[in-house]
Amino acid sequence: MTMIESLTRGFLRLLILTFCGISLPITIFPQDTSCGIIWYPAIQLSDSTHGGFQPRIALSGEDTVHVTWWEDVPPGTRLPYARSVMKNVFEPVRDLITDTITFQYHAHTPFILADYNMLRVVFAYTGTTWPYDTPLRMISSSDFGGTWSSVQSISPQIAGSIG
């Protein structure tokens, strides 16, 4: 099979799957590709009453998936975090900003970094100058996301947008 035939065949397969996906609910079937990767139906992690933006994903250990994102408005989770320690099953979403007196507002533009069992979430804290010109903050975990440190300031300088 030539490269053109292979691309055409792949495009037609994608087109057919797209039309089937539009006309059928996504939970009916996972997608299996010719290379053996199976795509399961989407899992909603964020609260459906708020917008979830800028999802960030990190892998740690052998099979732990960590996800964080930015929710748009209160009273949503201020720094949402979810992890999956079993294939295709996520724990309930947790709010990593637990100090509501010092940190009353939301985090934005989060990034999650993993090094085996050590995790760090770097974010800009909105404070009263949303969404720009805020110090960068960090929260960390040394046990695959089981427990988290308190929020730490990692830069006394204000930052525009991290990204």
Side-chain angles (χ1 to χ4, degrees):
M1 179 182 309
T2 68
M3 187 172 169
I4 303 255
E5 289 172 329
S6 177
L7 289 173
T8 303
R9 189 175 187 183
F11 176 74
L12 289 174
R13 189 177 201 189
L14 180 63
L15 190 62
I16 289 169
L17 286 173
T18 300
F19 284 126
C20 288
I22 291 171
S23 63
L24 297 173
I26 194 167
T27 57
I28 289 179
F29 55 89
Q31 296 179 18
D32 185 3
T33 61
S34 61
C35 62
I37 298 173
I38 297 175
W39 294 97
Y40 290 92
I43 300 170
Q44 181 174 337
L45 298 176
S46 64
D47 181 350
S48 62
T49 60
H50 300 95
F53 301 99
Q54 300 173 332
R56 309 295 185 190
I57 301 170
L59 303 174
S60 71
E62 302 211 2
D63 58 359
T64 305
V65 178
H66 308 272
V67 183
T68 188
W69 61 94
W70 172 33
E71 287 192 349
D72 62 352
V73 293
T77 309
R78 293 167 315 123
L79 182 55
Y81 164 78
R83 74 175 177 172
S84 172
V85 293
M86 293 178 16
K87 181 171 68 172
N88 215 23
V89 177
F90 279 83
E91 295 175 347
V93 174
R94 290 187 269 169
D95 188 349
L96 295 184
I97 301 178
T98 57
D99 182 351
T100 57
I101 295 172
T102 306
F103 301 102
Q104 301 173 17
Y105 302 98
H106 287 227
H108 67 88
T109 324
F111 285 88
I112 188 164
L113 310 164
D115 181 17
Y116 195 71
N117 65 333
M118 186 62 157
L119 298 165
R120 290 177 179 86
V121 176
V122 178
F123 58 94
Y125 176 70
T126 59
T128 57
T129 57
W130 184 86
Y132 303 108
D133 299 329
T134 61
L136 295 178
R137 313 282 184 181
M138 182 180 73
I139 189 167
S140 59
S141 171
S142 60
D143 62 356
F144 295 99
T147 58
W148 291 85
S149 70
S150 58
V151 175
Q152 304 162 7
S153 178
I154 62 172
S155 169
Q157 303 298 318
I158 56 175
S161 178
I162 57 176

